[in-house]
Amino acid sequence: MSQKRRLQDHDINPCLVESDASRKCLEVNQSDKDMCAIYFLKYKSCRKFWHGIMMQRKQDGIKPNMPVEEERKRILASLGRAPY
């Protein structure tokens, strides 16, 4: 599977929505990064959150290291909302 297809896979990329929102903001604002700072921050926070989950699962020997989409939905539901 190519890198681009992997990044578009909901089971592999937990921050696909945030990534797409950042990209769309850049398109709408003619690549003005200052206009998209909030989207970048949300994406960065998303990546940090799921990286922490992935590292903990790896340390605990849980496979796959990154929870699949359905499991991530349950994790977020248990928190009440996305922490990012």
Side-chain angles (χ1 to χ4, degrees):
M1 184 180 286
S2 73
Q3 179 71 8
K4 186 174 182 175
R5 279 190 70 190
R6 289 188 62 198
L7 292 175
Q8 293 299 317
D9 185 331
H10 285 278
D11 281 334
I12 295 172
N13 185 353
C15 301
L16 188 57
V17 170
E18 293 78 10
S19 174
D20 288 346
S22 295
R23 191 172 23 262
K24 184 170 179 111
C25 179
L26 286 171
E27 288 171 11
V28 169
N29 292 290
Q30 291 81 37
S31 298
D32 184 347
K33 292 180 181 178
D34 291 336
M35 296 292 291
C36 302
I38 191 79
Y39 293 98
F40 298 149
L41 182 59
K42 190 167 184 168
Y43 174 74
K44 185 177 178 181
S45 297
C46 177
R47 295 294 304 165
K48 184 176 180 181
F49 174 79
W50 288 112
H51 180 74
I53 297 283
M54 184 179 69
M55 295 309 291
Q56 186 62 54
R57 287 170 63 101
K58 188 174 185 176
Q59 187 176 38
D60 294 343
I62 300 171
K63 297 284 183 183
N65 293 335
M66 178 58 71
V68 294
E69 183 179 18
E70 286 303 314
E71 188 175 357
R72 290 194 309 265
K73 286 179 181 178
R74 288 193 298 273
I75 291 168
L76 293 176
S78 74
L79 297 173
R81 66 174 187 83
Y84 44 84

